[in-house]
Amino acid sequence: MAQSNGRRTSRRDIYLKLRQMVLTLELAPGAALSENELAASLGVSRTPVRESLIMLAQEGLVQVFPKIGSFVSRVDPAQVADAQFLREAVELAALEDLPAQLDPAVVEELRDNLERQRRADLGLEEFFALDEVFHQGLMRLSGHGNVWTTVAGAKGHLDRARRLGLHGHVSPAVFATQHHEIFEAVVGGDVPLARTAMRAHLRAVFHDIERIRAHSPELFAADASAVPVRRNIVVWE
Amino acid sequence: MAQSNGRRTSRRDIYLKLRQMVLTLELAPGAALSENELAASLGVSRTPVRESLIMLAQEGLVQVFPKIGSFVSRVDPAQVADAQFLREAVELAALEDLPAQLDPAVVEELRDNLERQRRADLGLEEFFALDEVFHQGLMRLSGHGNVWTTVAGAKGHLDRARRLGLHGHVSPAVFATQHHEIFEAVVGGDVPLARTAMRAHLRAVFHDIERIRAHSPELFAADASAVPVRRNIVVWE
DNA sequence: CGACAGATGCTTGTATACAAGTACTGCACG
DNA sequence: CGTGCAGTACTTGTATACAAGCATCTGTCG
């Protein structure tokens, strides 16, 4: 889904950097993004910055209003729900496609991943990175690793909502345990149990979001097509 | 997923036009796309053309090789299979989310759509348009209409493969009948039957593709990252 | 004091110029 | 006749200049 080849262009670097900043909430939902400011701060011209913003807009992470401004999109509850439905459908379907003999290399990789999730000093972003790799690894077991790319591209709003939910509150340990349960069911060949555990895990993540929405409604979109006001933007907290 | 607002920009027009041409095979897989040529023929500068190509590249419909050229991506069998898995997972899951009371407006719309699919003088592109609306309508019945946007964005390679398969060979009538079966099961509240019919329908579409791949292998990608050669490009047939 | 109007400064959209690099073409030479 | 090399014509990437439009601020007038 991403850019085809590995040629180093500043656009690619900027795109990845901005995307990361949006997903990790370093750029807060609703924040104004000026092409000129970004270009100046990154030491490049408007062109690669602008093209990066176009790509992010296509993913729904940024909104561009012609002649008005560009903004980090607020977390849209509808898109969060859509992404939840999508990932649940895909990940549950993948579990039913598991082969009789699992790829031992991937299994080992997953085991290693789970090990690291249990480390006590695990940071939040480190956990999210491991979480991402874990779920993609499960998809690879059934030969649908590349489908994860599409799912990952569609769940930007969901990811940001999760980060909002976890900031300072919930420990990742609960999710690590759920990951372990799913993994054990998979290697044990118990598909129904794996599905049950996966569904419970994904829904636990999802339900957590409503709580944070009540806590910080300004980060969520009331009307997705509304134009944010530039002056009242709060960059962080 | 698409551009946020409805402001008329030439970029948006060009993007939609090029996208349509790629999906309908008017621009053949493997064809070279020169930013300069496109800009000249469209009567605009490189900028909006280039930005459109970037968007299409992000969707996987176009490949851009820096300093080399831009090409309509060949149909990638792996991406076709991925899209098949994705849509099957999503559409089957949506059937299980159907409410007890279906939205009568959508039901009527679907009935109307099916009616038009039965017209004898139906053109190929007209059928595809109706097919698209039909499947999206089914998703709307379960409240997941917007998820279809993501699915539609991911199934570009699948759609092109289907068009290759249908060009001149199979009649859409078979698919129309299958659509009818699915619809009847849905309005009858028989979810298991609807799932069975849907699965059969989607797999029938999928299996048709292998046939055409044997027939026109040059339109399919052997190695997705390989650079097409510019001189041997056959624009159509 | 309030309201309206114009100017100003910002925004993104588009066009154009230049930079860097690839691939083919044609000629010279063995 | 084949091979190698240099030149040329093309490609996309980036920088910059200009165009068009919105929003806000400020000054003026009622």
Side-chain angles (χ1 to χ4, degrees):
Chain A
M1 168 151 278
Q3 207 65 350
S4 42
N5 52 59
R7 288 277 192 284
R8 280 205 182 167
T9 63
S10 64
R11 178 175 87 229
R12 179 152 189 80
D13 293 344
I14 292 168
Y15 163 73
L16 291 174
K17 185 185 184 78
L18 288 178
R19 186 172 194 277
Q20 189 68 11
M21 290 176 76
V22 170
L23 289 182
T24 63
L25 304 177
E26 193 174 342
L27 286 172
L33 298 174
S34 163
E35 295 178 0
N36 283 317
E37 282 183 23
L38 288 172
S41 81
L42 293 170
V44 295
S45 78
R46 267 183 65 203
T47 305
V49 171
R50 172 180 174 75
E51 291 173 349
S52 296
L53 289 182
I54 288 173
M55 294 172 72
L56 292 170
Q58 205 177 12
E59 292 182 53
L61 295 178
V62 162
Q63 289 175 296
V64 178
F65 299 89
K67 315 300 176 69
I68 298 178
S70 302
F71 304 86
V72 178
S73 61
R74 287 195 165 79
V75 180
D76 182 354
Q79 287 196 48
V80 172
D82 288 341
Q84 171 69 18
F85 172 79
L86 178 73
R87 84 172 296 179
E88 189 173 309
V90 167
E91 294 202 69
L92 291 178
L95 290 177
E96 291 190 332
D97 267 11
L98 287 171
Q101 289 297 324
L102 302 178
D103 183 339
V106 179
V107 170
E108 192 51 41
E109 197 179 303
L110 286 171
R111 208 185 297 276
D112 215 62
N113 183 298
L114 284 172
E115 199 74 33
R116 278 184 281 176
Q117 287 185 34
R118 291 171 165 276
R119 290 191 49 163
D121 59 344
L122 197 67
L124 206 56
E125 286 305 325
E126 294 167 295
F127 171 75
F128 276 119
L130 288 172
D131 178 273
E132 194 76 8
V133 173
F134 176 77
H135 282 274
Q136 197 225 10
L138 284 179
M139 297 285 296
R140 267 190 291 157
L141 279 179
S142 54
H144 297 109
N146 287 331
V147 178
W148 183 253
T149 307
T150 300
V151 175
K155 71 184 179 60
H157 284 250
L158 178 61
D159 287 341
R160 293 193 297 163
R162 287 191 63 190
R163 281 183 169 81
L164 286 172
L166 284 176
H167 262 298
H169 293 63
V170 181
S171 152
V174 182
F175 297 129
T177 302
Q178 294 174 339
H179 285 163
H180 196 73
E181 289 170 13
I182 298 168
F183 176 73
E184 287 303 330
V186 167
V187 296
D190 190 341
V191 171
L193 178 59
R195 281 177 58 95
T196 302
M198 175 68 86
R199 199 191 304 263
H201 169 55
L202 296 180
R203 301 224 167 154
V205 168
F206 183 57
H207 287 140
D208 217 40
I209 293 173
E210 284 307 311
R211 183 176 52 74
I212 193 66
R213 188 183 172 189
H215 187 267
S216 302
E218 76 281 2
L219 297 175
F220 289 80
D223 178 3
S225 65
V227 182
V229 282
R230 178 167 294 271
R231 62 169 178 275
N232 287 339
I233 295 300
V234 178
V235 173
W236 182 238
E237 85 173 353
Chain B
M1 169 150 283
Q3 206 65 349
S4 42
N5 51 58
R7 288 278 192 285
R8 282 204 183 166
T9 63
S10 64
R11 177 175 86 230
R12 180 155 190 76
D13 293 344
I14 292 168
Y15 163 72
L16 291 174
K17 185 187 184 77
L18 288 178
R19 187 173 195 276
Q20 189 68 10
M21 291 175 75
V22 170
L23 289 181
T24 63
L25 305 178
E26 193 174 343
L27 287 171
L33 299 174
S34 163
E35 293 178 1
N36 282 318
E37 282 182 24
L38 287 173
S41 80
L42 292 169
V44 296
S45 77
R46 268 183 65 201
T47 306
V49 171
R50 172 181 173 76
E51 291 173 349
S52 296
L53 289 181
I54 289 173
M55 294 172 72
L56 291 170
Q58 205 177 13
E59 293 182 52
L61 295 179
V62 162
Q63 289 176 294
V64 179
F65 299 89
K67 314 300 176 66
I68 297 178
S70 302
F71 304 86
V72 178
S73 60
R74 288 195 164 79
V75 180
D76 183 353
Q79 286 196 48
V80 173
D82 288 342
Q84 171 68 19
F85 173 78
L86 177 73
R87 85 172 294 181
E88 188 174 308
V90 167
E91 294 202 68
L92 291 177
L95 290 177
E96 290 190 333
D97 267 11
L98 286 171
Q101 290 295 323
L102 302 178
D103 183 339
V106 179
V107 171
E108 193 51 42
E109 195 179 304
L110 287 170
R111 209 185 296 276
D112 214 62
N113 183 297
L114 285 173
E115 200 74 35
R116 277 183 282 176
Q117 286 185 34
R118 291 172 166 275
R119 291 191 48 163
D121 59 344
L122 196 66
L124 204 57
E125 286 304 324
E126 294 167 295
F127 171 74
F128 276 119
L130 288 172
D131 177 272
E132 193 77 9
V133 173
F134 176 77
H135 282 275
Q136 196 224 12
L138 284 179
M139 296 285 297
R140 267 190 292 158
L141 280 179
S142 54
H144 298 110
N146 286 331
V147 177
W148 183 253
T149 307
T150 300
V151 175
K155 72 185 178 61
H157 283 250
L158 178 61
D159 287 340
R160 293 193 297 163
R162 287 192 62 190
R163 280 182 169 82
L164 287 172
L166 285 176
H167 261 299
H169 293 64
V170 182
S171 153
V174 182
F175 297 130
T177 302
Q178 294 174 339
H179 286 163
H180 196 75
E181 289 171 12
I182 299 168
F183 176 73
E184 287 304 329
V186 167
V187 296
D190 190 342
V191 171
L193 178 59
R195 281 176 59 95
T196 303
M198 175 68 86
R199 199 190 303 262
H201 169 55
L202 296 181
R203 301 228 167 150
V205 168
F206 182 57
H207 287 140
D208 217 41
I209 293 173
E210 284 306 313
R211 184 176 51 75
I212 193 64
R213 189 183 172 189
H215 187 268
S216 301
E218 76 281 3
L219 297 175
F220 289 79
D223 178 3
S225 66
V227 181
V229 281
R230 178 167 293 271
R231 62 169 177 275
N232 288 339
I233 295 300
V234 178
V235 173
W236 181 237
E237 85 175 353

